[in-house]
Amino acid sequence: MKYNHTLARKVGNARHFCRLQFKKLLEETKLRKGLFENWGDNTVRECRDYINKVGIDSAVSYQDYYDDFVDDLRALQDYLEDMLETSGNITLAESALQDWSFFSGFDEEKYDF
């Protein structure tokens, strides 16, 4: 089995980039002292743009792209938003972000990855 190092590096970079973007979002939320309209939409869009830019979307199937990447980003956005609405604890949200396993449903064997 050939290991796809290029795809592995791209997915790893996307994980890192998205974690940084959500961290920036939480810092912005802290500065604004609360949630705002369309909270997290730009962050998800930036992550999707990065995934497109590095070519992950063209290397995987359309269904996997949505199931594993886009849905995962939306799930994290919803999870953090619900957490902040109920508890208002940014520190708890930052901890949840560190524990989030980005794109964990991605089928590595399918792409020899």
Side-chain angles (χ1 to χ4, degrees):
M1 177 188 295
K2 182 182 172 198
Y3 187 79
N4 191 336
H5 292 283
T6 304
L7 184 58
R9 187 172 51 253
K10 288 178 182 180
V11 171
N13 288 343
R15 286 180 173 133
H16 179 72
F17 179 83
C18 291
R19 183 164 276 115
L20 287 176
Q21 295 306 308
F22 275 98
K23 189 173 182 178
K24 286 180 186 178
L25 176 64
L26 291 175
E27 289 172 5
E28 184 180 336
T29 304
K30 195 184 302 184
L31 290 173
R32 287 184 174 204
K33 295 182 179 16
L35 299 174
F36 45 90
E37 188 176 350
N38 299 325
W39 186 88
D41 288 346
N42 287 337
T43 301
V44 171
R45 188 175 309 114
E46 287 172 11
C47 289
R48 287 180 60 186
D49 288 347
Y50 184 81
I51 289 169
N52 294 337
K53 177 182 166 189
V54 297
I56 294 172
D57 62 332
S58 61
V60 300
S61 73
Y62 183 79
Q63 192 62 46
D64 286 344
Y65 172 68
Y66 271 91
D67 289 349
D68 298 324
F69 294 92
V70 176
D71 290 348
D72 193 31
L73 292 170
R74 291 280 181 212
L76 177 60
Q77 176 191 10
D78 293 342
Y79 179 71
L80 292 175
E81 186 174 10
D82 289 344
M83 182 181 293
L84 291 172
E85 284 178 346
T86 57
S87 72
N89 190 341
I90 294 283
T91 307
L92 188 61
E94 289 172 342
S95 174
L97 176 60
Q98 290 303 320
D99 294 340
W100 191 269
S101 181
F102 280 91
F103 321 134
S104 60
F106 185 65
D107 185 359
E108 300 153 352
E109 292 178 14
K110 183 175 180 180
Y111 297 99
D112 294 329
F113 159 66

